[in-house]
Amino acid sequence: MGVKEDKKKTCGTICLKYLLFTFNFLFWVAGGVVMAVGVWTLMEKSDYISLLPSNIYAASAYILVIAGVIVMVTGVLGCCATFKEQRKLLLVYLILLVFIFLLEILAGVLAYIYYQQLNEELKQNLKNTMIEKYGKEDSKHITKAVDKLQQEFKCCGSSSSSDWAENQWIHLESAKGRVVPDSCCKTVVDLCGTRDHPSNIFKVEGGCMTKLEKFILDHLKIIGAVGVGIACVQIIGMVFTGCLYKNLKTEPY
């Protein structure tokens, strides 16, 4: 009877080891995905981040990058701990899993919170940013971001092209008679912004605000889904790790 019980324990441990190894490999790949989503958000969309008054969107992406790096390192540690059957390493691995789980849940929660308040923030701040900072020497990054926004989303102004009438730069000599920035034009050429006829510039209902809002909301969904989704998968890893840790404690040597 004792031999059979020992065999069952050994068999159970081996099964858990391979299950945990498989999980670690998938976990390592998932870490790469998490990090990639965070880096992509920060690198490709950094111009748009500068138009947002809150840092929550950027913070969510930074958390994903940090979590992704830790996940990849933890995945390697998990493989070592599993095959060497070292209980101390397994315990460290389990603690790291819990820490990453909390980080990713935090990223998901931040994305959800910002999802709820984004519309109000854009209403209050996007127009002011365009009016007060566009064209200023000390706000070149804002000018670049607005130009990119208007060209990529084929829009003009925060709510409409008429918003540009309130911009200070438009009334300066350096604007050379433009009534809207050249980036509002359907075909961008120098001084095309001197004519704001619908045949020449983008006239989009709701302006750039609705376009940027939709864009950010879609990406918040991705950030939230990736963070919470991988965190849920980690629960399986925590269960496997806990079971293997327990088996190694009770298994005879």
Side-chain angles (χ1 to χ4, degrees):
M1 287 290 289
V3 175
K4 284 185 180 179
E5 282 180 8
D6 288 348
K7 281 184 178 179
K8 280 182 183 178
K9 285 179 182 177
T10 304
C11 183
T13 302
I14 291 170
C15 288
L16 280 170
K17 279 173 64 177
Y18 282 100
L19 281 170
L20 195 52
F21 177 77
T22 303
F23 168 80
N24 277 319
F25 175 73
L26 295 174
F27 190 47
W28 186 84
V29 172
V33 172
V34 168
M35 185 174 67
V37 169
V39 170
W40 173 68
T41 300
L42 292 170
M43 297 294 290
E44 288 293 315
K45 311 305 167 189
S46 58
D47 290 330
Y48 299 148
I49 289 172
S50 68
L51 296 175
L52 301 173
S54 171
N55 292 321
I56 297 177
Y57 181 63
S60 299
Y62 277 117
I63 289 171
L64 283 186
V65 173
I66 294 167
V69 171
I70 298 173
V71 163
M72 296 183 81
V73 173
T74 303
V76 175
L77 175 66
C79 288
C80 294
T82 301
F83 277 96
K84 288 186 177 181
E85 297 186 8
Q86 292 187 6
R87 295 185 73 246
K88 285 183 180 178
L89 269 180
L90 275 175
L91 186 58
V92 172
Y93 174 63
L94 183 58
I95 291 168
L96 282 172
L97 279 182
V98 173
F99 177 68
I100 297 164
F101 174 82
L102 294 174
L103 265 184
E104 286 168 343
I105 288 293
L106 177 61
V109 169
L110 283 175
Y112 177 77
I113 291 170
Y114 197 53
Y115 188 94
Q116 301 298 312
Q117 68 185 53
L118 179 63
N119 180 269
E120 198 56 41
E121 279 202 1
L122 283 179
K123 278 181 183 175
Q124 291 175 1
N125 295 282
L126 186 58
K127 184 178 178 180
N128 290 341
T129 299
M130 287 182 163
I131 289 170
E132 294 171 10
K133 296 185 178 180
Y134 185 91
K136 286 193 173 180
E137 197 62 32
D138 60 350
S139 301
K140 287 183 178 178
H141 64 293
I142 295 292
T143 302
K144 180 186 172 186
V146 171
D147 284 337
K148 183 178 178 182
L149 174 69
Q150 294 189 143
Q151 272 297 294
E152 283 198 2
F153 293 132
K154 303 184 187 306
C155 57
C156 185
S158 176
S159 301
S160 69
S161 58
S162 61
D163 292 337
W164 286 111
E166 300 175 53
N167 176 266
Q168 294 175 3
W169 172 77
I170 287 293
H171 301 290
L172 296 177
E173 251 185 69
S174 56
K176 298 179 180 178
R178 292 178 178 90
V179 288
V180 293
D182 290 344
S183 57
C184 280
C185 300
K186 293 177 180 177
T187 303
V188 178
V189 293
D190 193 33
L191 297 177
C192 64
T194 54
R195 194 167 68 92
D196 63 351
H197 192 272
S199 63
N200 183 50
I201 68 167
F202 298 114
K203 293 277 189 180
V204 179
E205 189 178 343
C208 292
M209 189 182 72
T210 54
K211 294 270 190 167
L212 182 59
E213 181 185 15
K214 184 181 183 304
F215 172 82
I216 299 289
L217 288 178
D218 287 344
H219 283 78
L220 285 173
K221 285 177 187 175
I222 294 171
I223 291 174
V226 167
V228 175
I230 299 212
C232 291
V233 171
Q234 280 178 245
I235 295 172
I236 300 170
M238 285 186 249
V239 171
F240 287 159
T241 306
C243 291
L244 182 58
Y245 182 85
K246 186 180 177 183
N247 267 32
L248 291 177
K249 182 179 180 181
T250 55
E251 193 168 284
Y253 293 95

